[in-house]
Amino acid sequence: MTLSKETRQSVLNDRHIALGADMTTTSWNDMPIPQNYATDPYDEVTVIRSKAGLIEVTALKILNVTGPDALKFLNYFLTSDISKAKTGDSHISNIVNADGALIDDVLVYVDGPNEYRLSHGGGALEEALPAVASKFDVSVKRDNDVHILSLQGPVALEVLAPHTPLDLAALPYFNHAKTTLFGKSVSLARGGYSAERGYEVFCSAADAHYIWDKILEVGKEKGVIPVSWASLDIVRVEGGLLFFPFDMTHGDTTPWEVKADWTVDLSKPDFVGKSAVAAKKGKERSFITGLEVDSDRAIEPLSKITVGGKQVGVVTSTTYSKHLMKSLAMAQIEPGYTKLGTEVVVHDKGEWPATVVRMPFYDPLRQRTHPK
C-alpha cells in the first residue's frame, strides 16, 4: 500500500486569488494555501472573535480507512483507544514511532463500525502507515476530492443552522454527522482551530464553490467574511493550540512533553511505540509552556529562553495579539522553570522579560468552544 506525495490544488483557488491571495508563494501539506488576503489579518481576527470567519482548510489530508480490521489497525497504529469512540465522534489521537517520539497528530472521524476518516497535517503519518497497515485486512485510500470549509466564530451556528436539516445546535463539541447543507450532501463537524465555536463542512469538489458562496451570501448580514491562514495562526496561538511539528522542537518530542497525556492509553494491550513512550514518562526534558513577553511585537520562533544566563528553553509558536494587547509565545521549557509566574528572558534581537502564564491565553476556561 502506497500513498503518493503529489501537489494538490483546491478548486477554490480562484476565490482566494480574487480576494488578493498569492497562491504561488505559500503551501502546506502539498497544497497552496491563501496565507494572506488583501484584508488585514488583525481585522479578520476581530471578525472571528465577534462574528465569524470562513476559511478553507482543504490542505488537511483525509484518508478513508475501512475493512474488517480497520479498528484493530487504528488501535495498533495510534496512541489512543479508538474502540472507546462512538459513531459520530471526532477523536483526537497521536502517532509515535518505535522510539516513542511523536511523528504526527491525527483527528479520527468515526463514521461507523470499521469505517473511519483520518485528518492529518504535515507529519509522517502517510510514510509510517503502509508498513503497519500491511499486517491487517484494511483498506486505506486518500480522498483528494473532499474540500473542507471552516466557519469559525460566535455567529457560525445561526448562519448555518437554517440551511441544514441536522439539529446543529444539539451537535456536541468534537462530533460530526452526515447531512445536507444548502441541499448538497456534506458531513458537518463541530470543531476547528480558532478557540471559538465553529463548524467544518466536508463537501465534494463539485459542490465547493456553491457552498463557499452560499455561506458568504447568507452570512453577509451577520458580518461573515473570508479569512486567511495568517489570521488562523493568530487565533490558534491565542487559543494555545499546537501545530505539528513547530511546537515539538526536540525532533523526538514525546506526547508527555506537549501535555498530550490524554491521547495516550497505556492500558491498551499494545500499539506502535508503547513500551518506548511508557519508559519516557516522567523523564520529560521540557514541557509546552505559555509566556507573556514584555514586547510590542511577536517574538521570532526558536528564540532561546534563559534564566540567570542559563538556557532553559526555546520559543515555538508566537503572535502579537491585538485582541489581548500582548505578545504571546508558546515554548518548550525545562520542567523546573514552568511554574506560573516564573520570570524568564527571551532573546530575540535583544533581551525581553517574559512571564510563565496559563494557557490557553484566550478564554482559558474554553467557554467559547464549550458553552454551557
Side-chain angles (χ1 to χ4, degrees):
M1 179 183 298
T2 59
L3 295 164
S4 61
K5 187 170 184 177
E6 58 192 26
T7 299
R8 302 177 297 141
Q9 296 288 343
S10 165
V11 300
L12 292 171
N13 283 355
D14 60 336
R15 297 298 192 266
H16 303 317
I17 291 169
L19 290 163
D22 180 350
M23 301 300 291
T24 65
T25 55
T26 306
S27 64
W28 178 71
N29 221 16
D30 309 326
M31 177 173 277
I33 58 172
Q35 183 65 25
N36 290 91
Y37 290 143
T39 43
D40 187 323
Y42 285 109
D43 292 339
E44 296 168 10
V45 168
T46 298
V47 170
I48 294 170
R49 295 281 180 240
S50 61
K51 300 177 179 67
L54 179 63
I55 183 168
E56 186 194 6
V57 291
T58 306
L60 290 164
K61 291 179 180 175
I62 303 295
L63 302 178
N64 293 320
V65 180
T66 58
D69 288 346
L71 175 58
K72 290 180 181 178
F73 158 65
L74 290 176
N75 256 358
Y76 184 67
F77 190 48
L78 305 177
T79 58
S80 57
D81 189 348
I82 307 300
S83 69
K84 295 178 180 178
K86 306 180 296 295
T87 297
D89 284 351
S90 307
H91 183 100
I92 296 177
S93 191
N94 279 298
I95 306 169
V96 297
N97 62 18
D99 297 322
L102 282 167
I103 62 170
D104 212 343
D105 51 10
V106 61
L107 184 55
V108 183
Y109 294 94
V110 185
D111 288 328
N114 283 317
E115 201 173 319
Y116 304 90
R117 283 173 291 146
L118 306 185
S119 171
H120 78 101
L125 182 154
E126 295 191 13
E127 288 76 12
L129 185 147
V132 179
S134 65
K135 303 172 184 176
F136 297 87
D137 186 0
V138 64
S139 170
V140 181
K141 295 181 180 178
R142 170 99 63 76
D143 186 350
N144 282 338
D145 181 71
V146 67
H147 279 54
I148 313 170
L149 313 183
S150 184
L151 186 64
Q152 299 291 310
V155 305
L157 173 62
E158 56 189 282
V159 168
L160 297 179
H163 306 285
T164 175
L166 178 68
D167 185 358
L168 201 56
L171 187 69
Y173 186 59
F174 269 75
N175 272 243
H176 67 280
K178 291 183 178 179
T179 183
T180 60
L181 181 67
F182 304 114
K184 305 294 185 180
S185 295
V186 299
S187 175
L188 282 176
R190 182 172 165 192
Y193 214 43
S194 67
E196 295 289 347
R197 185 169 188 150
Y199 298 89
E200 294 183 322
V201 182
F202 295 77
C203 66
S204 69
D207 292 334
H209 278 111
Y210 180 77
I211 294 175
W212 173 272
D213 292 343
K214 288 296 289 184
I215 291 173
L216 293 175
E217 177 189 323
V218 302
K220 184 176 181 179
E221 66 177 19
K222 298 185 185 300
V224 174
I225 65 169
V227 297
S228 65
W229 279 64
S231 67
L232 181 64
D233 196 49
I234 295 169
V235 295
R236 74 99 184 165
V237 174
E238 290 177 342
L241 300 169
L242 306 186
F243 191 11
F244 185 91
F246 301 101
D247 296 303
M248 296 80 182
T249 52
H250 292 297
D252 60 350
T253 299
T254 68
W256 321 121
E257 291 169 334
V258 292
K259 298 182 180 179
D261 309 44
W262 52 278
T263 69
V264 182
D265 192 336
L266 294 176
S267 69
K268 286 199 301 182
D270 198 14
F271 60 85
V272 175
K274 179 184 176 182
S275 59
V277 79
K280 291 182 177 180
K281 188 170 186 177
K283 300 176 182 177
E284 294 81 15
R285 296 158 292 183
S286 64
F287 285 115
I288 196 72
T289 304
L291 295 177
E292 286 184 6
V293 186
D294 189 11
S295 174
D296 60 358
R297 62 174 176 83
I299 293 298
E300 191 70 24
L302 301 182
S303 296
K304 71 177 183 178
I305 299 164
T306 64
V307 172
K310 171 194 172 185
Q311 182 168 357
V312 298
V314 63
V315 169
T316 60
S317 294
T318 70
T319 193
Y320 184 83
S321 170
K322 288 188 177 180
H323 188 78
L324 300 177
M325 297 182 70
K326 294 175 181 177
S327 180
L328 307 175
M330 290 191 277
Q332 285 286 347
I333 298 180
E334 291 181 17
Y337 301 92
T338 59
K339 184 179 178 180
L340 294 180
T342 299
E343 295 182 352
V344 301
V345 176
V346 176
H347 298 258
D348 175 21
K349 301 181 182 70
E351 297 184 356
W352 304 94
T355 306
V356 173
V357 297
R358 189 182 307 278
M359 283 202 304
F361 308 103
Y362 171 78
D363 186 24
L365 297 181
R366 300 195 187 279
Q367 293 178 333
R368 307 285 281 191
T369 51
H370 299 65
K372 293 180 181 179

